[in-house]
Amino acid sequence: MTRRDYLNSALLASGSLLLGGATPMDLLAKDDWDGYGGVGDYSSSNGNTFEVIADAHKLIRDHPNEGLPANVIDTGEEFDCVVVGGGISGLAAALFFKRQAGPRHTCLVLENHRIFGGEARRNEFLVEGRRLFAHQGSAIFFPPLDGTFLADFYDSIGIDSRPFEYQTWTGGEPEIPLGRTSYTTGGANSGFFFGAKFGQPKGLWLIDPWGKKLAGAPISEGARHELLAAYGSKPALPQRHGDALSRHLDSITLEEHLMETHGISRETVRTFLSPVAGGGSGLGADALSAYAEYAADVLLPWKYDAGAQMFPGGNAGVARHIAKALIPDAIPGAVTLADVCRSAVNFAALDRPGQVSRIRLHSTAIAVRHDGETAKSSWVTIVYARDGKLYGIKARSAIMAGGSWTTKHIVKGLPETHRQAYAQFYRAPCLMANVAVRNWRFLYKLGISECQWFEGTGNYFALRKMATFGPVSSSVSPDSPVVLTLKILFSSPGLPIGEQVTRGRAELLSTPFLEYERRIQEQFSTMFSGTGFDGHRDLAGIILNRWGHAYLSPQPGFFFGSDANPAPGEVLRNTPFGRIAFANSDLAGIMDHRTSILEARRAVGQIIERS
Ligand SMILES: Cc1cc2nc3c(=O)[nH]c(=O)nc-3n(C[C@H](O)[C@H](O)[C@H](O)COP(=O)(O)OP(=O)(O)OC[C@H]3O[C@@H](n4cnc5c(N)ncnc54)[C@H](O)[C@@H]3O)c2cc1C
């Protein structure tokens, strides 16, 4: 039995192991786990790194009580506001605080990774002398409607909401259309791959599957009809958040909804549609509220005509713009798309004593507690861990923007209402694997730039043309090195949601880098060796971004409550706990950086109103 076999054994699939003594990670060395991190600002922060997860699990496990831990070094620092979590929500909260509280009011952001951005970070490769970018998590953005709060906000941080310029084709004839994002479009440039699971041991490609109405797909006639019906149908959309249809959708699963509206079988949903349907919420359709599929469109209308946009490194671009607005020399250069994308982060500028807004990286908050009785308290004490030591700071107010999975453990004395609300937040894991290849002739020969498959590792990828304002080549051809992003979800259809996310996390955390690298290489070889793919020659590098708690996966009842209980997000949004308010995109149930920003705005409003 090899070490890997041991790690992957059924023992590790047990989520309870994560809560008890040794975790699967304890059995792996850091480098076995993190793997290669790429180059540039983000090279030591690919996903949730080994040190961040190991520290967080250990510290939170070691300090479960309501009191503050012992052996805390008091830094003597006092801030008007401390924000826990340096993702888009935490950064936006700090910026709103700076703008609204006044120029002398101090704010510190505590972030546990070695760079800010949270799920909105990027990977960088250097292949054949070209710098390649890819998103680690948060990818696309939808230009907001003119005159809205979000449009003004983007404008204020230097993001022009006009569509970006994208690479042009220099690959000769025939040109294969490339989308602007990493999501599939299902056009003539797409392909479905069927392998052994469908009786095709040598593999079968169906190019332009929807255009061909799935003719030639090795699936049953019944499944073909069901899929075509589902693909072509346009179900009625809720008109308003809270209308009868939205409430109905929130009372059933997405799977039930797909079966009800399209007349398709559970088996077809699970074989072909899950977890891509619902993938924006991290699990398969069986576990999610049907409203999860519609909530963003209902609540966050955008300029459809402009189309979705993508920075070279995904929404790391948004995070970088907010960081620059907060601390102008955090990223040298002008407030332009090009400078903010290209310039290296000036880490020394982030946490200078005396500075009004500060970002302290590599610092895990492990306890946040009011001093004395909550109602009468004037201060909140925040304890954070860094390099094995605990430090204490004080703040007039705190904003918890790190997400439900840490907030519920570290805010001490949290009322029962809030505890119960957070108990209804399930965050699913996700592995974002960025695969750099030296050229993509193996796709071009098939006549595709995007594809989907239904067995093995991953489900889909879509090659995109990149926005050109970064240090990105202005053109693309089949001979260009590119990055292909595989989003790997861990759903176990049919199991209770809590069990699905725990099992998935155990698998994500217990599998070494080399094993994922092997699986990805095998998947590519299975699909593309027939058109010339050779892993040893063509793969330039793989970066894994492991997100232990990637997606809030809203179960039925998440949006509007169930059994006469309020929606859990509403409890946390409506009622700050003394001097502590709550942010992060998960409160909205919509995994989208726009909700990160909007939740931050609301939380800052609450603490300013209180003070
Ligand atoms: C794979 C994936 C793809 C996505 N794609 C898109 C997309 O295309 N478009 C889109 O708009 N959104 C997308 N999202 C949603 C994404 O969640 C939001 O866009 C946004 O980045 C979330 O920001 P946040 O600040 O709310 O949370 P996070 O990004 O999770 O930030 C929270 C930060 O706080 C840190 N933290 C937590 N606890 C502590 C602690 N105790 N001490 C210190 N630090 C702490 C975390 O490590 C993290 O860095 C995607 C998400 C994932 C996972």
Side-chain angles (χ1 to χ4, degrees), residues 20-274:
T23 71
M25 286 182 62
D26 293 338
L27 304 170
L28 280 168
K30 179 181 177 329
D31 291 343
D32 286 346
W33 198 84
D34 285 334
Y36 176 62
V39 298
D41 288 341
Y42 298 80
S43 60
S44 56
S45 286
N46 48 318
N48 298 136
T49 51
F50 185 90
E51 66 171 4
V52 164
I53 297 198
D55 276 4
H57 282 179
K58 178 175 180 323
L59 292 165
I60 289 169
R61 206 170 49 202
D62 287 355
H63 303 288
N65 304 325
E66 290 302 318
L68 293 176
N71 302 325
V72 174
I73 302 163
D74 183 356
T75 70
E77 292 171 300
E78 293 176 351
F79 297 91
D80 292 302
C81 179
V82 164
V83 177
V84 175
I88 287 182
S89 200
L91 295 171
L95 184 57
F96 292 134
F97 187 81
K98 176 180 170 179
R99 289 175 174 173
Q100 290 170 32
R104 284 190 305 281
H105 286 78
T106 53
C107 180
L108 173 74
V109 177
L110 288 174
E111 164 58 36
N112 50 4
H113 292 85
R114 288 181 183 259
I115 190 166
F116 52 79
E119 292 176 344
R121 303 201 302 254
R122 72 188 188 200
N123 293 142
E124 295 176 32
F125 295 89
L126 197 57
V127 182
E128 319 280 352
R130 288 204 193 187
R131 244 172 109 186
L132 305 179
F133 292 83
H135 52 298
Q136 291 195 17
S138 189
I140 61 180
F141 82 96
F142 303 98
L145 297 174
D146 292 333
T148 58
F149 170 78
L150 281 169
D152 291 346
F153 178 71
Y154 286 131
D155 198 38
S156 78
I157 58 172
I159 298 178
D160 188 335
S161 61
R162 282 173 304 183
F164 298 154
E165 298 280 324
Y166 290 87
Q167 288 172 320
T168 50
W169 176 263
T170 51
E173 290 297 327
E175 175 175 349
I176 294 195
L178 301 181
R180 292 188 298 204
T181 78
S182 53
Y183 291 102
T184 52
T185 59
N189 55 329
S190 68
F192 278 0
F193 178 81
F194 299 94
K197 181 173 167 184
F198 298 89
Q200 307 295 320
K202 292 192 178 151
L204 181 148
W205 275 102
L206 182 61
I207 310 302
D208 188 16
W210 297 114
K212 290 186 181 136
K213 301 205 177 321
L214 299 177
I219 59 176
S220 72
E221 218 20 48
R224 198 173 79 84
H225 276 111
E226 289 180 20
L227 288 171
L228 288 173
Y231 188 72
S233 84
K234 292 207 180 344
L237 293 178
Q239 297 302 304
R240 198 173 46 76
H241 186 71
D243 67 10
L245 181 53
S246 59
R247 286 175 188 275
H248 167 66
L249 290 168
D250 190 39
S251 70
I252 58 174
T253 65
L254 179 56
E255 184 171 271
E256 287 163 342
H257 170 61
L258 293 170
M259 291 164 65
E260 191 177 281
T261 35
H262 305 315
I264 55 181
S265 66
R266 198 179 298 281
E267 192 193 341
T268 298
V269 173
R270 292 188 185 179
T271 309
F272 297 103
L273 303 183
S274 274

Side-chain angles (χ1 to χ4, degrees), residues 277 299 347:
L299 284 166
F347 287 95

Side-chain angles (χ1 to χ4, degrees), residues 275-479:
V276 177
S281 297
L283 282 181
D286 63 298
L288 300 171
S289 161
Y291 188 55
E293 196 72 352
Y294 302 99
D297 283 342
V298 174
L299 284 166
L300 303 164
W302 57 286
K303 277 191 212 163
Y304 297 98
D305 297 346
Q309 305 293 316
M310 194 159 167
F311 287 83
N315 288 332
V318 178
R320 291 171 76 92
H321 275 267
I322 303 176
K324 182 158 176 67
L326 186 65
I327 304 171
D329 54 348
I331 299 178
V335 184
T336 60
L337 294 172
D339 277 5
V340 176
C341 183
R342 286 166 200 241
S343 307
V345 169
N346 174 12
F347 287 95
L350 299 184
D351 191 16
R352 290 175 295 213
Q355 192 163 284
V356 171
S357 303
R358 295 163 71 171
I359 302 173
R360 189 163 296 168
L361 300 172
H362 183 37
S363 302
T364 302
I366 63 156
V368 178
R369 203 184 76 160
H370 287 98
D371 289 1
E373 207 183 312
T374 305
K376 297 184 189 152
S377 171
S378 305
W379 292 98
V380 176
T381 293
I382 298 101
V383 176
Y384 67 90
R386 188 187 175 115
D387 291 330
K389 295 201 173 101
L390 300 181
Y391 298 92
I393 53 179
K394 286 199 184 296
R396 289 288 180 191
S397 58
I399 294 180
M400 305 304 298
S404 50
W405 76 99
T406 63
T407 302
K408 67 183 178 188
H409 291 295
I410 63 180
V411 178
K412 305 298 176 187
L414 201 57
E416 192 50 29
T417 44
H418 292 51
R419 273 184 200 290
Q420 282 181 13
Y422 267 140
Q424 296 170 62
F425 282 61
Y426 295 99
R427 302 253 335 198
C430 170
L431 174 66
M432 294 287 278
N434 279 320
V435 181
V437 290
R438 295 183 197 283
N439 65 72
W440 53 280
R441 284 252 156 227
F442 58 91
L443 293 175
Y444 188 73
K445 277 187 196 150
L446 280 165
I448 60 173
S449 58
E450 57 177 58
C451 57
Q452 201 176 332
W453 59 97
F454 311 96
E455 61 194 287
T457 302
N459 302 97
Y460 69 91
F461 65 70
L463 176 60
R464 60 184 167 119
K465 53 186 173 190
M466 309 277 277
T468 49
F469 50 76
V472 168
S473 167
S474 60
S475 65
V476 62
S477 81
D479 294 313

Side-chain angles (χ1 to χ4, degrees), residues 533-607:
F533 175 81
D534 173 344
H536 291 291
R537 186 193 58 209
D538 297 333
L539 276 179
I542 294 177
I543 303 178
L544 298 184
N545 303 288
R546 302 178 196 241
W547 299 109
H549 304 263
Y551 287 101
L552 184 277
S553 301
Q555 69 280 21
F558 186 89
F559 293 96
F560 299 109
S562 56
D563 303 328
N565 293 315
E570 288 307 306
V571 173
L572 295 151
R573 290 154 130 180
N574 292 345
T575 324
F577 169 42
R579 296 179 169 271
I580 303 170
F582 305 92
N584 192 281
S585 58
D586 62 5
L587 295 183
I590 303 172
M591 293 309 283
D592 191 296
H593 75 287
R594 292 169 294 178
T595 57
S596 308
I597 294 166
L598 295 171
E599 297 299 342
R601 176 175 71 150
R602 189 249 325 125
V604 170
Q606 287 171 326
I607 60 162

